[in-house]
């Protein structure tokens, strides 16, 4: 979800579509970034043609969404991605080696679904995506972050 558009500047405005279920956030994003496109998302179908998107950026979203909802999004992502397209994900994750960070994230973050690395990857792999972890790091000294790509396996056949 694009939220208020904070990450839209990583893409050129004519190659960006931000989707968001909250109309107030869409209005604010349009005001803050008038050259970028933001659309309301009904949380079922992304308003994009089949096989038309190169990359889907999912930044700090998944830990707010249930497994069931993510599974339905993965089907929709596969529909809109071009044959060589990828999903790029960056989200907080629980790390067994960083128990303090885990407790802090659980206390501070309003995301109800912070997962372990394996839980994120299994969701995508069970949805028929091949995943590659690019990096795991600590942000602001307390947030464990995982950065990975996923591509539908239909593209690999």
């Amino acid at each position: 979800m694009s939220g208020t558009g904070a990450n839209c500047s990583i893409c050129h405005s004519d190659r960006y579509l931000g989707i968001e279920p909250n109309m107030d956030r869409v209005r604010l994003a349009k005001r803050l970034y008038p050259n970028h496109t933001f659309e309301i998302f009904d949380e079922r179908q992304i308003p994009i043609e089949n096989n038309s998107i190169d990359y889907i950026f999912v930044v700090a979203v998944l830990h707010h969404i249930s497994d069931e909802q993510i599974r339905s999004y993965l089907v929709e992502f596969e529909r809109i991605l071009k044959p060589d397209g990828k999903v790029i994900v960056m989200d907080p994750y629980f790390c067994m080696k960083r128990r303090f960070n885990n407790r802090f994230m659980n206390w501070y973050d309003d995301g109800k679904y912070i997962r372990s690395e394996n839980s994120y990857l299994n969701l995508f792999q069970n949805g028929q995506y091949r995943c590659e972890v690019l990096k795991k790091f600590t942000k602001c000294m307390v947030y464990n972050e995982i950065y990975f790509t996923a591509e539908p396996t239909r593209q690999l056949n």
Side-chain angles (χ1 to χ4, degrees), residues 96-127:
M96 292 301 291
K97 296 177 183 178
R98 304 211 179 259
R99 294 187 190 277
F100 170 79
N101 298 33
N102 295 345
R103 283 195 301 274
F104 176 82
M105 290 187 310
N106 231 358
W107 170 76
Y108 181 76
D109 198 290
D110 63 356
K112 296 178 185 171
Y113 303 100
I114 301 174
R115 298 165 177 87
S116 69
E117 172 184 352
N118 285 336
S119 294
Y120 283 116
L121 299 178
N122 286 338
L123 270 170
F124 278 80
Q125 290 165 346
N126 291 338

Side-chain angles (χ1 to χ4, degrees), residues 40-107:
I40 194 73
F41 176 43
D42 67 8
E43 297 190 68
R44 286 185 301 280
Q45 186 171 18
I46 298 171
I48 292 290
E49 294 178 25
N50 295 354
N51 303 311
S52 61
I53 298 294
D54 294 308
Y55 299 103
I56 299 171
F57 291 99
V58 182
V59 180
V61 171
L62 298 181
H63 70 290
H64 294 282
I65 302 172
S66 71
D67 289 2
E68 180 180 314
Q69 191 69 52
I70 291 172
R71 283 191 284 273
S72 71
Y73 289 174
L74 293 178
V75 172
E76 188 64 358
F77 291 171
E78 183 175 358
R79 180 187 70 79
I80 66 171
L81 280 170
K82 288 181 179 178
D84 58 347
K86 291 185 181 185
V87 180
I88 301 169
V89 177
M90 188 165 45
D91 234 275
Y93 80 105
F94 289 133
C95 177
M96 292 301 291
K97 296 177 183 178
R98 304 211 179 259
R99 294 187 190 277
F100 170 79
N101 298 33
N102 295 345
R103 283 195 301 274
F104 176 82
M105 290 187 310
N106 231 358
W107 170 76

Side-chain angles (χ1 to χ4, degrees), residues 136-151:
K136 295 181 279 188
F137 57 96
T138 303
K139 182 170 79 175
C140 301
M141 299 189 319
V142 289
Y143 263 78
N144 308 315
E145 295 272 336
I146 186 167
Y147 177 43
F148 67 95
T149 62
E151 59 185 307

